[in-house]
Amino acid sequence: MNKWQVRNKQFVNDPEAIMRSGNVFQIANGYMGCRGTLDEFGPGQLVGITLAGIFDRVGNAWREPVNAPNGGFTQVTLDGVHISALTTRIVSHQQNLNLQNAVFERETVFSARGKNLTLKSSRFLSADNPHLGVIQFSLVCDHAAKVVVRTGIDGNIWDLNGPHLLRLKPAKKGATLLVHGITNEAGRRVAVAEAIDASPGKETRATSGKKNLRVIRLNLEAGKICAFQKFFAVFTDNDRVQSPGDSAIDCARAAKTEGYSACLSHHNAAWAKKWARCDVEIAGDEEAQIALRYSIFQLLIVAPVNGSANSIPARALSGQVYKGAIFWDTEMFMFPFFLHTQPNKAAELMRYRIKTLAGARRKARTEGAGYRGAFYAWESQETGDEACTYFNIGDPVTGRDLRTYFRDKQVHISGDIAIAMWEHFKLTGDDSLLLAGGAEVILECARFYYSYAYLKPGKNRYEVLDVTGPDEYHERVHNNAFTSMTVRATFEIAMATVDYLRRKHPAALKALVKKIRIAGELPRFAEAAKLLYVPSPDRRTGVIEQFDGYFRLEDTTVEAVKARKIHPHEYLGGGQGVAVQTRIIKQADVVMMLNRFKDRFSMKVKRANWEYYEPRTEHGSSLSACAHALVAADIGKLDWAYQYFLKTAKIDLEAKYKVYVGTIFMGGSHPAANGGAWMTAVLGFGGLQVGTKQITLQPRLPKKWRALAFNLVHRGDWFNIKISRNTVTVGAEASNRSKHKWVVVGKTRFATPGARLAFNY
Amino acid sequence: MNKWQVRNKQFVNDPEAIMRSGNVFQIANGYMGCRGTLDEFGPGQLVGITLAGIFDRVGNAWREPVNAPNGGFTQVTLDGVHISALTTRIVSHQQNLNLQNAVFERETVFSARGKNLTLKSSRFLSADNPHLGVIQFSLVCDHAAKVVVRTGIDGNIWDLNGPHLLRLKPAKKGATLLVHGITNEAGRRVAVAEAIDASPGKETRATSGKKNLRVIRLNLEAGKICAFQKFFAVFTDNDRVQSPGDSAIDCARAAKTEGYSACLSHHNAAWAKKWARCDVEIAGDEEAQIALRYSIFQLLIVAPVNGSANSIPARALSGQVYKGAIFWDTEMFMFPFFLHTQPNKAAELMRYRIKTLAGARRKARTEGAGYRGAFYAWESQETGDEACTYFNIGDPVTGRDLRTYFRDKQVHISGDIAIAMWEHFKLTGDDSLLLAGGAEVILECARFYYSYAYLKPGKNRYEVLDVTGPDEYHERVHNNAFTSMTVRATFEIAMATVDYLRRKHPAALKALVKKIRIAGELPRFAEAAKLLYVPSPDRRTGVIEQFDGYFRLEDTTVEAVKARKIHPHEYLGGGQGVAVQTRIIKQADVVMMLNRFKDRFSMKVKRANWEYYEPRTEHGSSLSACAHALVAADIGKLDWAYQYFLKTAKIDLEAKYKVYVGTIFMGGSHPAANGGAWMTAVLGFGGLQVGTKQITLQPRLPKKWRALAFNLVHRGDWFNIKISRNTVTVGAEASNRSKHKWVVVGKTRFATPGARLAFNY
């Protein structure tokens, strides 16, 4: 078992298998994704070059990310027979995803006209040049044969709610092919250019059927390898270039000039750097090792391009599912991985929220009765305006769209962002993001909450009413513990931000307070932080009521609730969903709160709540398992934690997830679960907790694990941590600038640059 | 056309026709109802002697009023043939309800064995003795025949959720039959006794099949009339007698001794008194006259027995529908009729609310997050504890029970009661009810609202959140105009009550304040009355938004919404009802508010809102039409008002109402609509408005009406009002004690006792 490879030794000719395999074998480079489909495939097999950060809408359908024309297309004819995994007899097939450098390879032996044709390709999206895709393609036949290779750009684009590119034009400039279109809504230009290194035969051109192809005819000798390299480049108006078409052509040509080996070598160097910092090694558990590495890989391929101010959608770059929208998932489950290993990517995620602050302000103004401050979009795209509809799920029983309250009631999103913004500052010690809009985001989130909250006169407390917490099966509830704690933390963070700026950047604070006219409101935030009501643990049982009235709901089992379904895809929430009037919840809610605010609750309370809520959780969200794993690790339920960890870490590798909620297709990758897998391994089992004053490690390895090793960056300084069953070593890199306090298995030591601390436990 | 009779000249042998006819021809006397079924009918034809104020519950089914064994049962055999309208050929049939004295008569000519048998009966429930029912029964055959008459008490009881009477025992004491049982839940005794004046033949007894019968065999000569009179009496433990059985026997015997004519004469005398005060005469419109009179009749038959502290259920005494529960309908639409014509009955309705205050307190304490004060039951039975379930409507599409929020969110019920309580004092000038618990009710209702309301800090206003207004298709809304106005009025009334008691009954006030420990809260009520937010008319259009966000809902038509139904009985509200996300409303909501608070809004605003909401109202409640009629009359839309008036007034006479909501049977009479018909005629078209300082009349008669005449009692003094097309006369009774200020068609005059004021207009 190669712990750096994902391999498939057969091709299953079934649409769902092709869809799932396309997810598992996808590659990406932050700028674009490329699904793990075969060279000869088209939109029917969900070939998708999904672009980050550029969206389009057709009519009243959902706005979604733009898929680019496929510059990686190649299709072969053997003695007049069209060769395709879909129609040709396959003698053998193997495909491989190399996690080390995100290279996808396929090798298929086809049988046609009594001859065996071996087709190989290898592709990567450059980690060095985000616009560039590179493919090496080769053919060999066991008999002499007439072969026609059609290669170039396929303008037949898989879209969920397209077509997004209008006036698609095939062109050729010198030897370089170009397909150029403009988006339907905003008229943005999108261009894909393709160059090949050297034509292996006589080349003509064909532009029928939305394809812009080279047609290469050759008489292939038996056993003779025919190979060529393709270089395709994508540019859009979002790249702020004069002409995306010219830039794409220049890029493809330059890559061709540079050559395949050089491109791959730059790409590999970039990947080596990523893994050097981000890999987590597990000894004694291959299954966990490969699942975790695959999860980390998923995050690395979709980390936003530096300077893009893009974020990571809930289904990453695996397609247009969930509108390519960014949810709270990013801050909650992806952000920690980046913050601890690639803080510049964490900063990019935050820059996206700063960029979209205006959209969040618009949403606050126009949603409900009208609020102040920043109410971030539940589903956020380019501008931060809300992409989530009020009727976001279809009911397969009645055929009607269900009114859901993700959009207008899941107010914790703003606090999730404020908390992440503040965490970034705390862990990096870098206040530049705060000064570049981060503080404004935090204050506007607090302002939003103040305008949302009510004062309960007789009880002299603020309450947060009519919200939906993470458990989306219970919408429009009052005093949801998770939400209220998040709101309280936001007020506290707002206060802390003001305090910090007052001390360190008084002029900036003054300018900000003036700009957003918030002076009069600041004392109110302090009062609200103090008087905000959050449901507290029951004195006897320690259980926290998820929201007002939760304990009055029917107490039943997940199985009993599911047995009430009439239709297999029926949504359990919504107005009349079968879970709504029961205590069965969609995902960790109180449990997630106990993880986020782990220092504020006793082990006893955490244990009581985990044990109460776990059997009542349906895990209808991929975010649920890792929340349970994290708290289970925290309270020492290692077997449970391990099970939930595996469930989380294997979600995209095994690709057994459900692909329909109500009538909505939602297949694709799960970067939040991938982030949750990293969190469980490092923060959960590793017991890592990074504070402003110290870093603590309280390891609790699953039984099988002999050792766990990972890296950490904190305030610009790097550490490598190795945890075995009785020792912990912390190595501080020699290039570190500061001394750091470590509290490992209860023992306090200081790590000076270059130091190696060893602890027994 | 006899304007005092309802007549049917055929018998339609169809279960639904029998059900509807049973409603139309029902009689009642406040103590019990008796459906308009035939003597020989049983539970299959929905024979029901529904008792007021005694309830029972079997298992987990709905608690509902107890139906008594049928003491009016008589069935005849002709030459061995069982004679029944269900099975025997009918030569002719006629049934008649006399509105003057609530006597039901039937005459049926049956044909069997080649002979025609004429069967006549006439029945009334004594208005003089509430326990007593009296029936005159006669037979005549055109040929000699062997006739067997079985008459007595039928213990086969029609129940929706029974059986409620256990250990049903047939007995005979002397010549009097008795059936005695005890209720399932509370073990209360219910007894029915029956006596007949003189047996027309040889009498034996039969007690099979839950019947306790006399079997009278006779050889009937051709053309010879055989007649007898039945006297049945009902007593229960609620009557606070030592033995309901003995009391029933005594009562039946006494009536028999007194004789049919005397009983009828007392009964008629009582009815003559009712009509003398309560009739409304319309000249020029027979259709309206009979419909209105029938409506008034419906209210008169179900007015609670003096001293009972009972109220009137939503389906009156026509059966067990709606659990026999008392809703806000009573205060909103029945109470005004009694207040203006029979204040002692209005007081009884209020005594019911005083009696059930403890239940309302229990509900406040236990509902939702727990409240203070009195949260009256949405569906109220004996104790005032809530009879409405959280899942009150079944969904015929999915077969699931819908979570509805009638029970926990329709908080306006408490204010509806407080307002009625205060109106009673204002219009009668009698403060005894206030002192006997009425003031306590008012203060506890205000206290409930204070504990329900929230303060919106930035806006310095109170808001009433998460409620359901009269438009039940839109549940859980914020700042519902109707509810918030009602809450504000309740605070104002609480203040006025305290002011009044402070001036007139300081000791009583002191005792009350001490008893319910409310001293500290009173200043808060004053503040809340001042700072309570109620949506106000739009500056441009004058339209009041029914609740926060209503104007953002889909604007469509009633027809379009109905066309979306999948099942004909599908409920339009509830979690996913097809009206919920549209502006289509169930019944008048803002419009009803404009009627209740008619002095607080300009004609322009009333007109704008009526015109806006009327086409968006589905009238899914029988309360809707009269609300529209009242406001239409107020703003001078007389044609509209007239149409809605007729719709309201004819609802029970025509009995074309729907009988299913979701999966729930809800057929029966509509006393609220009946009250609404009176309100529209007198308060709407008559333009009567009674204040503490003056009585105003601003008539606006429908085109067809030549004249309108009615009576009014105000502060114990009586007036008769006659409105013609150009004159109004107000006659003050000679026995009046005070002088009253009248403002008629804008002219002010004082009516001294015995005066007759005439106004031209």
Side-chain angles (χ1 to χ4, degrees):
Chain A
M1 191 171 174
N2 182 333
K3 285 179 273 182
W4 287 99
Q5 287 209 333
V6 178
R7 193 181 289 267
N8 198 344
K9 295 203 172 180
Q10 60 173 355
F11 173 76
V12 180
N13 197 347
D14 163 79
E16 191 174 324
I18 292 171
M19 178 271 287
R20 291 186 192 267
S21 167
N23 290 331
V24 174
F25 287 88
Q26 68 180 303
I27 55 176
N29 68 354
Y31 182 86
M32 57 186 157
C34 174
R35 293 174 57 78
T37 48
L38 302 184
D39 309 80
E40 64 269 29
F41 284 177
Q45 293 71 48
L46 319 190
V47 170
I49 308 284
T50 301
L51 303 182
I54 179 164
F55 293 78
D56 185 67
R57 182 177 200 174
V58 176
N60 284 322
W62 284 355
R63 185 177 289 105
E64 62 188 11
V66 171
N67 282 345
N70 175 19
F73 179 80
T74 300
Q75 186 268 321
V76 171
T77 305
L78 175 74
D79 293 339
V81 177
H82 185 103
I83 300 298
S84 162
L86 297 174
T87 52
T88 312
R89 192 167 80 74
I90 292 173
V91 177
S92 70
H93 173 81
Q94 181 173 315
Q95 64 187 48
N96 180 55
L97 176 64
N98 189 337
L99 303 183
Q100 221 146 8
N101 60 353
V103 171
F104 171 80
E105 295 163 320
R106 62 87 64 101
E107 177 174 342
T108 315
V109 181
F110 292 103
S111 166
R113 302 265 191 231
K115 301 174 185 178
N116 279 356
L117 177 76
T118 302
L119 195 157
K120 282 170 75 168
S121 76
S122 164
R123 78 166 79 111
F124 63 91
L125 297 174
S126 174
D128 180 56
N129 178 350
H131 301 279
L132 181 65
V134 180
I135 299 171
Q136 169 143 288
F137 193 92
S138 74
L139 288 170
V140 59
C141 189
D142 60 353
H143 294 75
K146 276 195 192 319
V147 165
V148 183
V149 176
R150 287 179 176 79
T151 191
I153 305 167
D154 185 0
N156 294 290
I157 298 169
W158 172 47
D159 277 322
L160 293 179
N161 297 291
H164 297 293
L165 293 182
L166 307 181
R167 291 192 256 146
L168 264 189
K169 270 192 229 145
K172 196 172 177 197
K173 201 162 173 186
T176 309
L177 300 179
L178 179 71
V179 170
H180 186 281
I182 62 164
T183 60
N184 170 70
E185 190 180 27
R188 295 220 192 111
R189 292 170 292 176
V190 173
V192 179
E194 186 247 27
I196 65 173
D197 62 341
S199 212
K202 188 179 164 243
E203 187 181 323
T204 57
R205 187 158 163 252
T207 57
S208 64
K210 289 198 182 173
K211 291 189 175 81
N212 188 8
L213 301 180
R214 310 164 193 282
V215 181
I216 304 167
R217 289 163 208 280
L218 59 154
N219 292 316
L220 196 59
E221 292 170 32
K224 174 103 188 273
I225 294 170
C226 155
F228 59 92
Q229 280 108 35
K230 278 167 72 81
F231 304 87
F232 68 88
V234 183
F235 272 84
T236 79
D237 269 334
N238 273 19
D239 298 315
R240 298 194 204 90
V241 291
Q242 199 136 41
S243 160
D246 291 347
S247 295
I249 288 170
D250 292 349
C251 175
R253 278 182 183 162
K256 171 182 152 184
T257 306
E258 197 170 16
Y260 180 81
S261 301
C263 288
L264 180 59
S265 145
H266 299 323
H267 173 73
N268 285 347
W271 269 99
K273 268 195 210 163
K274 291 185 210 288
W275 281 118
R277 294 307 196 191
C278 300
D279 192 27
V280 177
E281 286 176 289
I282 299 169
D285 189 346
E286 288 203 342
E287 182 187 19
Q289 173 68 77
I290 193 161
L292 177 59
R293 191 165 278 150
Y294 184 78
S295 296
I296 294 170
F297 173 82
Q298 291 294 323
L299 294 167
L300 293 176
I301 63 176
V302 296
V305 171
N306 292 344
S308 65
N310 279 337
S311 186
I312 305 174
R315 287 290 179 268
L317 297 173
S318 66
Q320 295 159 319
V321 160
Y322 277 152
K323 307 161 193 158
I326 289 91
F327 290 67
W328 72 306
D329 309 33
T330 309
E331 275 74 17
M332 196 73 186
F333 289 104
M334 305 179 215
F335 180 78
F337 163 76
F338 292 110
L339 186 57
H340 288 83
T341 60
Q342 292 189 291
N344 60 328
K345 299 295 183 188
E348 214 60 63
L349 300 177
M350 290 298 97
R351 275 186 207 108
Y352 170 73
R353 296 305 192 176
I354 294 169
K355 177 177 84 175
T356 53
L357 175 59
R361 283 198 181 106
R362 282 191 291 274
K363 178 175 172 188
R365 260 203 318 275
T366 55
E367 201 62 61
Y371 306 103
R372 296 168 54 77
F375 184 2
Y376 274 91
W378 186 245
E379 300 185 10
S380 186
Q381 298 173 328
E382 272 182 272
T383 59
D385 289 289
E386 185 58 82
C388 186
T389 66
Y390 293 114
F391 298 85
N392 219 40
I393 292 182
D395 179 11
V397 175
T398 59
R400 293 172 187 152
D401 285 336
L402 299 179
R403 174 64 159 99
T404 51
Y405 293 86
F406 307 119
R407 169 178 172 153
D408 41 342
K409 299 299 178 187
Q410 220 151 355
V411 298
H412 64 78
I413 176 67
S414 288
D416 301 332
I417 291 163
I419 290 171
M421 194 69 78
W422 186 244
E423 284 292 304
H424 178 271
F425 165 62
K426 263 172 57 186
L427 267 66
T428 61
D430 176 1
D431 60 17
S432 60
L433 211 52
L434 284 185
L435 295 169
E440 189 172 347
V441 165
I442 289 170
L443 292 186
E444 290 286 33
C445 288
R447 176 182 252 170
F448 164 62
Y449 284 140
Y450 193 78
S451 78
Y452 198 90
Y454 280 91
L455 193 57
K456 185 81 201 162
K459 296 179 176 166
N460 192 32
R461 69 188 195 192
Y462 285 86
E463 296 188 18
V464 183
L465 305 172
D466 201 359
V467 301
T468 304
D471 165 26
E472 291 158 335
Y473 292 163
H474 296 93
E475 299 181 313
R476 300 199 58 201
V477 301
H478 302 318
N479 298 309
N480 167 253
F482 178 94
T483 303
S484 295
M485 275 296 280
T486 300
V487 171
R488 184 196 282 172
T490 304
F491 286 129
E492 290 167 353
I493 286 170
M495 296 292 90
T497 302
V498 170
D499 281 355
Y500 176 79
L501 293 182
R502 186 173 289 132
R503 281 186 288 111
K504 301 282 182 170
H505 302 283
L509 176 65
K510 207 174 154 190
L512 175 59
V513 166
K514 193 176 165 196
K515 176 185 173 195
I516 63 175
R517 298 176 192 194
I518 205 164
E521 293 163 62
L522 298 176
R524 304 284 114 219
F525 297 170
E527 178 188 277
K530 212 162 58 190
L531 298 183
L532 195 87
Y533 168 65
V534 180
S536 52
D538 181 86
R539 279 183 195 191
R540 197 174 50 78
T541 64
V543 180
I544 298 165
E545 191 171 26
Q546 190 178 299
F547 52 80
D548 288 356
Y550 171 84
F551 286 150
R552 293 171 183 227
L553 298 175
E554 184 195 358
D555 201 10
T556 180
T557 64
V558 172
E559 293 66 38
V561 163
K562 283 186 168 172
R564 294 174 192 172
K565 292 206 287 183
I566 297 170
H567 188 286
H569 297 162
E570 187 179 334
Y571 184 56
L572 304 189
Q576 292 169 209
V578 289
V580 177
Q581 300 304 330
T582 75
R583 294 188 214 172
I584 300 307
I585 65 177
K586 182 176 183 183
Q587 66 173 316
D589 195 294
V590 169
V591 167
M592 198 141 12
M593 189 265 279
L594 295 175
N595 180 59
R596 173 177 269 175
F597 301 102
K598 62 169 74 160
D599 292 338
R600 305 200 191 188
F601 296 94
S602 71
M603 278 294 164
K604 202 182 136 200
V605 165
K606 284 188 249 191
R607 188 181 304 272
N609 283 279
W610 194 96
E611 287 174 355
Y612 183 86
Y613 285 106
E614 190 275 338
R616 291 172 175 85
T617 304
E618 190 255 340
H619 306 301
S621 161
S622 56
L623 313 184
S624 192
C626 51
H628 281 87
L630 281 159
V631 176
D634 194 9
I635 60 179
K637 284 183 178 287
L638 293 181
D639 289 349
W640 278 105
Y642 182 70
Q643 281 177 40
Y644 276 118
F645 164 75
L646 272 192
K647 192 176 166 187
T648 301
K650 288 159 77 172
I651 186 167
D652 281 334
L653 188 58
E654 293 193 332
K656 289 176 181 164
Y657 39 76
K658 62 180 175 185
V659 295
Y660 277 99
V661 165
T663 58
I664 299 172
F665 175 67
M666 42 159 258
S669 53
H670 298 76
N674 301 139
W678 179 89
M679 289 167 79
T680 307
V682 172
L683 310 181
F685 298 131
L688 173 69
Q689 196 175 355
V690 185
T692 43
K693 301 216 166 100
Q694 64 184 39
I695 305 164
T696 56
L697 270 176
Q698 192 64 49
R700 41 228 163 183
L701 299 191
K703 274 185 211 141
K704 272 178 112 170
W705 294 12
R706 287 200 317 273
L708 175 70
F710 55 87
N711 296 298
L712 166 72
V713 60
H714 178 56
R715 299 189 164 235
D717 287 351
W718 280 95
F719 303 92
N720 60 76
I721 294 100
K722 290 199 171 67
I723 299 165
S724 74
R725 295 218 69 90
N726 0 60
T727 60
V728 177
T729 61
V730 173
E733 289 203 357
S735 57
N736 286 359
R737 289 159 309 173
S738 311
K739 182 173 79 167
H740 296 266
K741 181 178 173 188
W742 282 77
V743 181
V744 180
V745 292
K747 296 161 198 161
T748 301
R749 306 266 293 272
F750 288 84
T752 49
R756 187 176 164 283
L757 312 179
F759 304 83
N760 294 318
Y761 75 109
Chain B
M1 192 172 175
N2 182 333
K3 284 179 274 181
W4 287 99
Q5 288 208 333
V6 178
R7 193 181 290 265
N8 197 345
K9 295 201 171 183
Q10 62 173 355
F11 173 75
V12 180
N13 197 349
D14 162 79
E16 190 174 324
I18 292 171
M19 178 273 288
R20 293 186 191 266
S21 167
N23 290 331
V24 174
F25 287 88
Q26 68 180 304
I27 55 176
N29 67 354
Y31 182 87
M32 56 187 158
C34 176
R35 292 174 57 79
T37 49
L38 303 183
D39 309 81
E40 64 270 29
F41 283 177
Q45 294 70 49
L46 319 191
V47 171
I49 309 284
T50 300
L51 304 182
I54 178 165
F55 293 78
D56 185 67
R57 181 177 201 175
V58 176
N60 285 322
W62 284 354
R63 184 177 288 107
E64 62 188 11
V66 171
N67 282 346
N70 175 18
F73 179 82
T74 300
Q75 186 269 320
V76 171
T77 305
L78 176 74
D79 293 340
V81 177
H82 184 104
I83 301 297
S84 162
L86 297 174
T87 52
T88 311
R89 192 166 79 76
I90 293 173
V91 178
S92 69
H93 174 82
Q94 180 172 313
Q95 63 188 47
N96 181 53
L97 176 63
N98 189 337
L99 302 183
Q100 221 145 8
N101 59 353
V103 171
F104 170 81
E105 296 163 320
R106 62 86 66 98
E107 177 174 341
T108 315
V109 182
F110 293 103
S111 166
R113 302 267 191 226
K115 303 173 182 177
N116 278 358
L117 177 76
T118 302
L119 195 155
K120 283 172 74 170
S121 77
S122 163
R123 78 166 79 112
F124 62 91
L125 297 175
S126 173
D128 180 54
N129 178 350
H131 301 279
L132 182 64
V134 180
I135 299 170
Q136 170 144 285
F137 194 93
S138 74
L139 288 170
V140 60
C141 189
D142 60 353
H143 294 77
K146 274 195 196 312
V147 166
V148 184
V149 176
R150 289 178 175 80
T151 189
I153 305 167
D154 185 359
N156 295 291
I157 299 168
W158 170 49
D159 277 323
L160 293 180
N161 296 290
H164 297 292
L165 293 181
L166 306 181
R167 292 190 257 147
L168 264 189
K169 269 190 234 149
K172 196 174 179 194
K173 201 162 174 185
T176 308
L177 301 178
L178 179 71
V179 169
H180 186 280
I182 61 163
T183 60
N184 169 71
E185 190 181 28
R188 297 221 190 109
R189 292 170 295 177
V190 173
V192 179
E194 186 247 30
I196 66 173
D197 61 343
S199 212
K202 191 180 160 237
E203 186 179 323
T204 58
R205 186 159 165 252
T207 57
S208 64
K210 290 197 180 172
K211 290 189 174 82
N212 189 7
L213 300 180
R214 310 163 192 284
V215 181
I216 304 166
R217 288 164 207 281
L218 60 153
N219 292 316
L220 197 59
E221 290 171 34
K224 174 102 187 272
I225 293 171
C226 156
F228 60 94
Q229 280 108 34
K230 280 167 71 83
F231 304 86
F232 68 88
V234 184
F235 272 84
T236 78
D237 269 335
N238 273 20
D239 298 316
R240 298 195 204 92
V241 292
Q242 197 136 46
S243 160
D246 291 349
S247 295
I249 288 168
D250 293 350
C251 175
R253 280 181 183 164
K256 171 182 153 183
T257 306
E258 197 171 15
Y260 179 82
S261 301
C263 287
L264 181 58
S265 145
H266 300 322
H267 172 75
N268 285 346
W271 269 99
K273 269 195 210 162
K274 292 184 208 289
W275 282 119
R277 296 305 196 190
C278 301
D279 191 27
V280 176
E281 287 177 288
I282 299 168
D285 188 347
E286 288 203 343
E287 181 187 21
Q289 173 69 77
I290 194 162
L292 176 59
R293 191 165 278 150
Y294 183 78
S295 296
I296 295 169
F297 173 82
Q298 290 295 323
L299 293 168
L300 294 176
I301 62 177
V302 296
V305 172
N306 292 344
S308 64
N310 279 337
S311 187
I312 305 173
R315 287 289 178 268
L317 297 172
S318 66
Q320 296 159 319
V321 159
Y322 278 153
K323 308 163 191 156
I326 290 93
F327 291 66
W328 73 305
D329 309 33
T330 310
E331 276 74 16
M332 194 75 186
F333 289 104
M334 305 178 215
F335 180 80
F337 163 75
F338 293 110
L339 185 58
H340 289 83
T341 61
Q342 292 188 291
N344 59 330
K345 299 295 183 188
E348 215 59 65
L349 300 177
M350 290 298 98
R351 276 187 206 106
Y352 169 75
R353 297 303 192 176
I354 294 169
K355 177 177 83 173
T356 52
L357 175 59
R361 284 198 180 106
R362 282 190 291 275
K363 178 175 171 187
R365 260 202 318 277
T366 55
E367 202 62 62
Y371 306 103
R372 295 167 55 75
F375 183 3
Y376 274 91
W378 187 244
E379 299 185 12
S380 186
Q381 298 173 327
E382 272 183 271
T383 60
D385 290 289
E386 184 58 81
C388 185
T389 65
Y390 293 114
F391 298 85
N392 221 40
I393 292 182
D395 178 11
V397 176
T398 59
R400 293 172 188 152
D401 285 337
L402 298 181
R403 174 64 161 100
T404 51
Y405 293 86
F406 308 119
R407 170 179 172 152
D408 41 342
K409 300 298 178 189
Q410 222 152 353
V411 299
H412 64 78
I413 175 68
S414 288
D416 301 331
I417 290 163
I419 290 171
M421 194 69 79
W422 187 245
E423 283 292 304
H424 177 271
F425 165 62
K426 264 173 53 187
L427 267 63
T428 62
D430 177 2
D431 59 18
S432 61
L433 211 53
L434 283 185
L435 295 169
E440 190 173 345
V441 164
I442 289 170
L443 292 185
E444 290 287 32
C445 289
R447 176 182 252 171
F448 165 62
Y449 284 140
Y450 193 78
S451 78
Y452 198 90
Y454 280 90
L455 194 58
K456 185 81 202 163
K459 297 178 176 167
N460 193 33
R461 70 189 195 192
Y462 286 85
E463 295 188 17
V464 183
L465 304 173
D466 201 358
V467 302
T468 305
D471 164 26
E472 292 159 333
Y473 292 162
H474 296 93
E475 300 181 312
R476 300 199 57 203
V477 302
H478 302 318
N479 298 309
N480 166 253
F482 178 94
T483 303
S484 295
M485 275 298 279
T486 300
V487 172
R488 184 197 281 173
T490 304
F491 286 128
E492 291 166 354
I493 286 169
M495 296 292 88
T497 302
V498 169
D499 279 356
Y500 176 79
L501 293 182
R502 184 172 291 134
R503 281 186 288 110
K504 302 283 182 167
H505 304 281
L509 176 64
K510 207 174 154 192
L512 174 59
V513 166
K514 193 177 165 194
K515 176 187 172 194
I516 61 173
R517 299 177 190 193
I518 205 164
E521 293 162 62
L522 298 176
R524 303 283 114 217
F525 297 171
E527 178 188 279
K530 213 163 55 192
L531 298 183
L532 196 86
Y533 168 66
V534 179
S536 52
D538 181 87
R539 280 182 195 192
R540 197 174 50 80
T541 65
V543 180
I544 298 164
E545 190 171 27
Q546 190 178 298
F547 53 80
D548 289 354
Y550 171 84
F551 286 151
R552 293 171 183 228
L553 298 175
E554 184 196 358
D555 202 10
T556 178
T557 65
V558 172
E559 294 65 38
V561 163
K562 284 185 167 174
R564 295 173 192 173
K565 290 206 287 184
I566 297 171
H567 188 285
H569 297 161
E570 187 179 334
Y571 183 56
L572 304 191
Q576 292 169 206
V578 288
V580 177
Q581 301 304 330
T582 75
R583 293 188 216 173
I584 299 308
I585 66 176
K586 182 176 182 182
Q587 66 173 316
D589 195 295
V590 169
V591 167
M592 196 143 11
M593 190 265 278
L594 295 175
N595 181 58
R596 172 176 269 176
F597 302 101
K598 63 170 75 160
D599 291 338
R600 305 199 191 188
F601 296 94
S602 70
M603 280 294 166
K604 202 182 136 199
V605 164
K606 284 188 249 192
R607 186 181 303 270
N609 282 277
W610 194 97
E611 288 174 353
Y612 183 86
Y613 285 106
E614 191 275 339
R616 291 172 174 85
T617 305
E618 190 256 339
H619 305 300
S621 161
S622 56
L623 313 183
S624 191
C626 51
H628 281 88
L630 281 158
V631 177
D634 194 8
I635 59 179
K637 284 182 178 287
L638 293 181
D639 290 347
W640 278 103
Y642 182 70
Q643 280 179 41
Y644 276 118
F645 164 76
L646 272 193
K647 191 175 167 188
T648 300
K650 288 161 77 174
I651 185 166
D652 281 335
L653 188 58
E654 293 195 331
K656 288 177 182 164
Y657 38 75
K658 63 180 173 183
V659 294
Y660 277 99
V661 165
T663 59
I664 299 171
F665 175 67
M666 42 159 260
S669 54
H670 299 76
N674 300 140
W678 178 90
M679 289 167 78
T680 306
V682 174
L683 311 182
F685 298 132
L688 173 69
Q689 193 174 355
V690 185
T692 43
K693 304 218 167 96
Q694 64 184 40
I695 305 165
T696 56
L697 270 176
Q698 192 64 48
R700 41 227 162 183
L701 298 191
K703 275 184 210 141
K704 273 178 111 172
W705 293 14
R706 287 201 316 274
L708 175 70
F710 55 88
N711 295 298
L712 166 73
V713 58
H714 179 58
R715 299 192 162 233
D717 286 351
W718 281 96
F719 303 91
N720 60 76
I721 294 97
K722 289 200 174 66
I723 299 165
S724 73
R725 296 219 67 93
N726 357 62
T727 60
V728 176
T729 63
V730 174
E733 290 202 356
S735 57
N736 285 358
R737 291 160 306 173
S738 312
K739 183 174 82 167
H740 296 267
K741 180 178 174 188
W742 283 76
V743 181
V744 180
V745 293
K747 296 162 197 158
T748 302
R749 306 266 293 271
F750 288 84
T752 49
R756 186 176 164 285
L757 312 179
F759 304 83
N760 294 317
Y761 75 108

